[in-house]
Amino acid sequence: ETGVTQSPTHLIKTRGQQVTLRCSSQSGHNTVSWYQQALGQGPQFIFQYYREEENGRGNFPPRFSGLQFPNYSSELNVNALELDDSALYLCASSPAGLADYEQYFGPGTRLTVT
Amino acid sequence: DQQVKQNSPSLSVQEGRISILNCDYTNSMFDYFLWYKKYPAEGPTFLISISSIKDKNEDGRFTVFLNKSAKHLSLHIVPSQPGDSAVYFCAGTTSGSYGKLTFGQGTILTVHP
């Protein structure tokens, strides 16, 4: 069983640009959540996808969007990047029908916006 | 609005002694709590959880205590080992949310040999 992987590991973008971050969930996990972790803070929930549909959203503007694909991969897209978007972005996947809330996190993508 | 707070940014403990990490929450809708451990350059890994209908859950060296009236939970690690040195996050969630976790800021635990 492979773990959750994310790409790229690090990314540097300029303010105003757009970025796409990718996540590959564990096989059989049809729920994926994305989190933003600013320096010195805990992860903050961005949104969650379940069977390719958005299933809940945290306090993030619409310029944060996502996609989930049938092959257990997903994307986080951020438009019009701002300096405050600099953070570690984590994806986490859960098995289908999970009732006990355990999630499996990837190592994250470190995004720097200059 | 910080719904989950870990007021100690860091904790230093001698190997073999007990480590106690604390967490407070304000959202009374939370009915499940989890602790995650994070090493540098890795994602958080699940450590232990507790349902709001319990006041204690134990797994090997790790025990989580929940005091619902005080909206407080704690993680005890006994005995502490140098490999336990990491950032520890507590998180709360609600039933049926499929794991929409609300995390605290984390506590850096350092266990000295």
Side-chain angles (χ1 to χ4, degrees):
Chain A
E1 180 182 89
T2 58
V4 178
T5 59
Q6 292 186 244
S7 63
T9 306
H10 295 90
L11 199 52
I12 299 174
K13 287 287 190 177
T14 303
R15 188 172 50 185
Q17 284 187 317
Q18 178 267 342
V19 69
T20 298
L21 310 181
R22 293 180 172 82
C23 173
S24 181
S25 303
Q26 289 188 204
S27 179
H29 287 195
N30 61 9
T31 301
V32 64
S33 301
W34 285 88
Y35 292 83
Q36 180 195 67
Q37 186 180 8
L39 204 60
Q41 300 296 317
Q44 267 199 297
F45 176 75
I46 301 174
F47 46 55
Q48 182 184 79
Y49 277 78
Y50 174 64
R51 293 182 176 176
E52 301 162 50
E53 298 281 334
E54 188 176 293
N55 188 40
R57 191 176 187 91
N59 191 25
F60 280 82
R63 59 188 185 84
F64 286 77
S65 63
L67 286 171
Q68 185 185 26
F69 303 101
N71 65 349
Y72 305 112
S73 67
S74 59
E75 292 179 354
L76 165 65
N77 298 289
V78 188
N79 293 323
L81 283 167
E82 301 176 0
L83 296 179
D84 284 349
D85 296 334
S86 296
L88 180 69
Y89 288 85
L90 298 160
C91 76
S93 69
S94 304
L98 180 72
D100 63 358
Y101 311 102
E102 182 176 342
Q103 296 187 57
Y104 299 82
F105 282 83
T109 293
R110 172 73 61 187
L111 173 64
T112 302
V113 182
T114 62
Chain B
D1 176 26
Q2 191 92 37
Q3 297 184 43
V4 179
K5 290 183 183 178
Q6 293 176 256
N7 291 316
S8 298
S10 63
L11 176 67
S12 184
V13 171
Q14 208 65 31
E15 180 178 6
R17 308 293 276 264
I18 184 172
S19 296
I20 300 177
L21 297 103
N22 294 303
C23 180
D24 296 297
Y25 64 96
T26 57
N27 189 339
S28 56
M29 298 299 291
F30 287 152
D31 55 8
Y32 209 79
F33 301 90
L34 305 91
W35 285 91
Y36 278 81
K37 178 171 71 173
K38 187 179 187 300
Y39 294 118
E42 294 183 14
T45 54
F46 171 76
L47 198 55
I48 192 170
S49 61
I50 188 167
S51 164
S52 61
I53 63 172
K54 296 185 175 181
D55 55 18
K56 178 183 174 181
N57 188 29
E58 200 170 344
D59 184 3
R61 297 187 297 116
F62 303 91
T63 303
V64 56
F65 296 91
L66 175 62
N67 182 333
K68 277 176 53 181
S69 61
K71 292 192 172 69
H72 177 83
L73 61 156
S74 61
L75 173 68
H76 293 210
I77 307 173
V78 183
S80 301
Q81 300 173 353
D84 295 330
S85 297
V87 181
Y88 288 78
F89 294 99
C90 69
T93 188
T94 56
S95 297
S97 68
Y98 278 87
K100 296 171 194 173
L101 303 173
T102 300
F103 284 90
Q105 310 96 306
T107 296
I108 302 169
L109 173 66
T110 304
V111 180
H112 298 282

